[in-house]
Amino acid sequence: MLKTRIITAAVLIGLLLVVILWLPPVATKVAMTVVVLAGAWEWSAFLRLQAVPGRVVYVCVVGACLAALWRLTLAAPACLLLLVVALGWWVAALMWVVFAPRRAASWSAAVAGLLALAPAWVALVRLRIDVPRGAQWLLFALCLVWAADIGAYFAGRSFGRIRLAPLVSPGKTWEGVLGGLLLAGLVALGGGRWFAVPMLPFVALCLGVVAFSIVGDLTESLLKRFAGLKDSGTLFPGHGGVMDRIDSLTSALPMLLLGLVVMGVAR
């Protein structure tokens, strides 16, 4: 399984590098929109929707929200407001995971999908298009979350004893969290030097982003349990579906962009 995961990851990384670094920003926007809508299709299964028309309607609703938010966030204050709303949502999601992990319903899964996917898409595209050196920032965001995932995976397998959220994701441990934070911290140090930003606040921001990425992962796990699913899909061998690959990013991207705005790096 590990070999399959590595091969699939290598192919996906190659495709992402092409999309982010060599395609024009508009093409990147289109590609990322396709990815998010594919994620919306998988998320529709968390609503326990069985019929295809119902799932298509949900994807169309998400798509309409993306279009509306793109126009709305052309103004910097509106974009900042959306990021603050995303922050509020992920804090609420953390409370959900901690205090009520077995309380879910189709309507709450539907709302959670909109609040997870739409702000993440806006943050992703705005980071790529509106922020100076946007392609590099987007690639850094991906590397930061990947480093946290890799660190958590190997630290959890080697030293994991204390479960992080046994009712939501029994395989995750606090030792894995610490391993993920450690490796992500090293990536943050490298990113701070590369982008020439104030090191201490930037590293603190990155560690906070990683913490929120864990919340995104756990929220998807909570809803998969509600829907009776092991993986969100089977598109990527060894990795599951689209949402299994972007669940951490749905929370990490808005938090990173919000932090960069506060630091004055982004508008």
Side-chain angles (χ1 to χ4, degrees), residues 80 100 105:
L80 178 60

Side-chain angles (χ1 to χ4, degrees), residues 173-230:
T173 63
W174 280 104
E175 292 84 355
V177 170
L178 294 176
L181 288 171
L182 178 61
L183 189 55
L186 296 176
V187 173
L189 288 172
R193 291 182 61 86
W194 178 263
F195 292 108
V197 293
M199 188 64 72
L200 185 59
F202 181 69
V203 171
L205 167 63
C206 290
L207 294 179
V209 167
V210 169
F212 273 104
S213 76
I214 298 170
V215 178
D217 189 342
L218 291 175
T219 302
E220 192 215 5
S221 295
L222 184 156
L223 292 172
K224 282 193 295 188
R225 281 186 169 269
F226 165 71
L229 299 173
K230 182 180 183 296

